[in-house]
Amino acid sequence: MPSALSQLAADLDAGRITSLQLTEQALARIADPAGEGARVFTSVYADQARAAARASDTLRAAGLRRSPLEGVPVSVKDLFDVAGETTLAGSVVLRGKPVASAHAEVVQKLIKAGAIIIGKTNMTEFAYSGLGINPHYGTPQNQWERGVEGGRIPGGSSSGAAISVTDGMAFAAVGSDTGGSVRIPSALNGLTGFKPTAARVSMEGVLPLSAYLDSIGPLAASVECCAIMDAVLAGETYRPLPAHPLRGLRLLAPTNVVLDGMDESVAKAYRAALSRLTQAGAVVAEEEVPAFNSLAAINSKGGFTAAEAYAWHRALIAENAAGYDQRVVSRILRGKDMSAADLLDVLHARSPWIAQVEAQLAGYDALVMPTVPIIAPRIAELLASDDAYYGANGKILRNPTLINFLDGCAVSLPCHAEGSAPVGLSLAAPGGQDRRLLSIALAVEGLLAS
């Protein structure tokens, strides 16, 4: 598992390692033919990364450090513009399209903070699935049971982002989250993932999926690492987080929707986590959240994502539908059958839905639930069957999507026993409570790790 960013910063400050050495280590892991690098990265910036690392080492030697990310190799998802390149978003249909004239704002902020951009990571084509399968560039394998019967899915859509961190090809990653695409791969790979309130991080220079739901967040080794990354992405100065007291912490654990179809591994880890929280003095109230029952009906025709994706892709589909991942394009095409009235129905339903959930949450500090209800399925099983693919995709996206529709913030924490299949515990809150939620997550992380 990767080193924590604060420990890396201390090692760099003390001269125990240099940015160039970290960068060479990351590049060696990416290039290792026995590793996942070829499936994890769609672009590798070896020369630029080495040059940036040398510059960072020079600045540090002069006593200058731009942020806690100074000199640390990080990866960015293949949704973010990098000047001089065409942003492919895990596709082949955008090859030959115009190149980006400038870096995405989040890439600019990372560079300004002194981070070393090691490369762009693979993803589900156009971010439109929670599984991480990509027929064009390959599917990175989950670390758990890697190589066994063809391996297990990494989760998506930020698939390469997660594996870049688990395999030490980067020390943190930036992904996007429209329906769980940061939290799902974090949960399935034993990482920590943070989905901030959508408006917190700029989408400028990011290929969109849904303007109503898209958000940008980090995947990393810990809550502190995610908080450091989030501060940089939001253009803030990082301030160390206090851990929220666990005694008296009020958590709402929904009993409807989010537990449906939960497998034995997730159920065991989730129940154990709730038990530990209660023993530590937290108040865990298990009750129904009625609004959750209605979201599937609100989105029954495809919701914001299908409508917005079809609007963005329709000309490209007309030009080259065969070039798409057929399981992705079939979902995008659901938007073709949505009328303006259908989209307005979703838009008009959202505000009262959010108000209903927030009213129920008013007496609590956070929601707690499984990030996803199942462990990572085997890649081969999903490739072999459309029913298995769509069934797993719907189940894996279901819980995280609730928080995107809420316009909330959420953290996924590892909560499984060592040596068992990775399972994520989700803590979530209404929009704008990002820092408070991270403080709660820091305390819960400490409890689960003890």
Side-chain angles (χ1 to χ4, degrees), residues 167-192:
D167 286 26
M169 302 172 191
F171 295 94
V174 185
S176 66
D177 191 309
T178 307
S181 290
V182 162
R183 291 161 289 156
I184 291 165
S186 295
L188 296 184
N189 291 281
L191 294 173
T192 302

Side-chain angles (χ1 to χ4, degrees), residues 20-37 44 46 50 118 167-169:
L20 184 58
Q21 287 170 334
L22 286 176
T23 300
E24 293 292 1
Q25 286 175 15
L27 290 170
R29 286 174 176 148
I30 293 169
D32 181 358
E36 292 293 302
V44 179
R50 289 186 178 106
I118 204 79
D167 286 26
M169 302 172 191

Side-chain angles (χ1 to χ4, degrees), residues 252-256 258-259 270 285-289 292 367-369:
L252 172 57
T255 56
N256 58 312
V258 302
L259 306 182
Y270 179 59
E286 298 188 54
E287 61 183 64
E288 183 175 349
V289 181
F292 285 3
L367 276 165
V368 61
M369 58 186 177

Side-chain angles (χ1 to χ4, degrees), residues 89-121:
S91 76
V92 295
V93 295
L94 291 179
R95 287 178 180 171
K97 300 297 183 183
V99 301
S101 58
H103 295 320
E105 189 168 326
V106 292
V107 175
Q108 293 176 31
K109 285 177 176 173
L110 288 165
I111 293 169
K112 184 179 178 182
I116 310 303
I117 310 296
I118 204 79
K120 275 189 178 181
T121 53

Side-chain angles (χ1 to χ4, degrees), residues 8 34 59 61 76 93 110 116 125 141 178 201 224 227 230 259 263 278 290 306 320 325 364 378 380 388 396 430 446:
L8 281 180
L59 286 174
V76 297
V93 295
L110 288 165
I116 310 303
E125 183 183 65
Q141 287 190 30
T178 307
V201 179
E224 182 190 48
D230 171 69
L259 306 182
D263 69 26
T278 301
N320 186 12
D325 175 350
Y364 297 95
R378 297 195 183 280
I396 283 172

